[in-house]
Amino acid sequence: MRTSAFITCAVTGSGQSHTKSDKVPVTPAEIARACIEAAEAGAAIAHCHVRDPGTGAPSRDPALYREVVERVRESGTDVILNLTAGMGGDIVLGSPEAPLPLNVDGTDLVGATERLVHVEELRPEICTLDCGTMNFAEADYVMTNTPGTLRAMARRIRDAGVKPEIEVFDLGHLWLARTLVEEGLIDDPVLIQLCMGIPFGAPNDPNSLMAMVNNIPAGWTYSMFSIGRMQLPYVAQAVLAGGNVRVGLEDNIWLEKGVKASNGDLVERAATILSAMNVTLQGPAEVREMLNLRRPA
């Protein structure tokens, strides 16, 4: 069990949660405010996607990321920004009987360089690296991250001086993460996120979780989360399993039954759970030192 831990708040995500809760931030101004709110509530890291301000649809527009980053930095709030690099790996097949041509409405598949334009321009302290391909919840959607693409992305992230947070959805993804580290494409100290309970990756039951934890090399730093109603119980589960914590509206819109949450609400509840377990919160300065992060100028 950890006696000190940090909280990451994933403030918006790329799913349809904005149609289910008006507390999900959509515009760059709203997303930046959510990052600041999360930091004030105790989060050391804010994990950001961006959305089309008019429709709420997921976006890769570097200008939207720039506005979020600039607003947070100009606020003077001390929070580590973690920008997603997961966008651009989405394939939606045409249908079970006619997979080709691909469904153009859902497919967003681009090369490694294009997926990292905003990361190389803005140089956040952390960006995500989704370490594998998987069937992802919906009938014909595949989250696509091939070993070749991940090697190319890892090189560019390393050369940009950004720390990758390796997103691990199943045991095979952890195997691939170890391979990237062994090949010198990801530097120590290694940071991973165990993403539990997402169909059809690793289930969020304790046995599956500990199978993942027991395959993490010594010396790596890891966080974990689950989705929906299991998000807040996983705050306790995370530190009991030696990890750090992630909450936020990307993965869950409820504080409790019938009560919709803000990002600040979820971070505050996570901090309360940790305090009740005698776990000390780590702030941004401690996390930077632990992970050897390059703080932006």
Side-chain angles (χ1 to χ4, degrees), residues 26-50:
V26 171
T27 69
E30 291 169 348
I31 294 168
R33 282 199 298 271
C35 294
I36 294 165
E37 174 191 28
E40 291 173 344
I45 302 173
H47 170 57
C48 303
H49 293 245
V50 293

Side-chain angles (χ1 to χ4, degrees), residues 34 36 42-43 51 53 70 72 88 105 117 128 131 153 158 168 171 179 188 226 233 238 243 248 252 264:
I36 294 165
R51 297 173 178 269
E70 289 180 348
V72 173
D105 291 333
V117 168
T128 61
C131 210
M153 291 179 70
R158 180 194 61 197
V168 172
L171 273 173
T179 300
D188 288 330
S226 188
N252 164 50

Side-chain angles (χ1 to χ4, degrees), residues 76-133:
T77 301
D78 188 14
V79 64
I80 297 166
L81 289 178
N82 173 350
L83 303 185
T84 186
M87 302 294 296
D90 303 322
I91 289 178
V92 179
L93 303 181
S95 72
E97 296 297 335
L100 295 177
L102 299 175
N103 182 329
V104 296
D105 291 333
T107 296
D108 177 29
L109 190 64
V110 299
T113 299
E114 188 170 347
R115 288 177 69 169
L116 291 169
V117 168
H118 61 297
V119 172
E120 293 180 317
E121 284 185 4
L122 300 172
R123 305 293 176 96
E125 294 179 76
I126 300 173
C127 75
T128 61
L129 186 66
D130 291 346
C131 210
T133 296

Side-chain angles (χ1 to χ4, degrees), residues 6 8 28 45 51 57 81 92 96 122 150 175 201 219 244-245 260 282 297:
F6 62 81
T8 295
I45 302 173
R51 297 173 178 269
L81 289 178
V92 179
L122 300 172
L150 291 172
W175 183 0
N244 297 283
V245 171
K260 290 180 179 176
Q282 294 176 327

